[in-house]
Amino acid sequence: MSRAITITVGEIEMDAVLSDSATADAIWDALPIARTVNTWGHEFYFDIGVQAGQEPDASDVVEVGDLAYWPPGMAFCVFFGRTPASQGNEVRAASAVNVVGRIDDPPIEDLRRVRTGTSIRIDVA
């Protein structure tokens, strides 16, 4: 089962989908979520107050547009490019994350202008 969500960061609005997993279920149940972002390279992350463990298919290498949950920080992550941990052209999280969804066409250039402290909201579409 996929579930449509809207992610608004600053003035940027993006359509996304949460996947079918226990972690995605917990995030869906916590919506709406409003916070401010932290940036780490071309990634946003922020505590969402959801507690979930690492899933069996968790990975530290992800794709541009992936939405993930980082268990050690109870954080939601939005990946839109390389991070300080990336090797070559890969997109790499700080450690293994549970991929919980996807933004199909992230506006990468706009997202690169967002700074730490910018507001973000995740809501049911």
Side-chain angles (χ1 to χ4, degrees):
M1 172 177 77
S2 63
R3 294 157 286 198
I5 60 172
T6 300
I7 301 172
T8 306
V9 57
E11 300 298 317
I12 305 163
E13 187 172 293
M14 300 172 285
D15 294 323
V17 175
L18 287 180
S19 59
D20 185 18
S21 70
T23 305
D25 291 347
I27 293 168
W28 178 260
D29 291 343
L31 296 177
I33 297 169
R35 301 285 194 273
T36 58
V37 300
N38 297 297
T39 58
W40 191 59
H42 295 146
E43 172 195 349
F44 301 143
Y45 68 98
F46 47 97
D47 181 321
I48 58 170
V50 170
Q51 193 165 9
Q54 183 173 305
E55 294 185 5
D57 61 348
S59 176
D60 58 345
V61 176
V62 296
E63 300 292 327
V64 169
D66 278 350
L67 304 174
Y69 175 83
W70 184 49
M74 294 192 309
F76 191 88
C77 308
V78 177
F79 293 95
F80 55 95
R82 298 182 71 238
T83 70
S86 294
Q87 299 172 14
N89 289 327
E90 73 183 4
V91 180
R92 184 180 290 266
S95 60
V97 294
N98 303 335
V99 175
V100 296
R102 179 139 189 87
I103 302 167
D104 283 328
D105 190 20
I108 294 168
E109 292 308 314
D110 292 338
L111 294 174
R112 287 181 177 170
R113 290 191 281 275
V114 173
R115 298 293 172 246
T116 293
T118 301
S119 64
I120 190 164
R121 182 175 174 88
I122 306 171
D123 211 340
V124 174

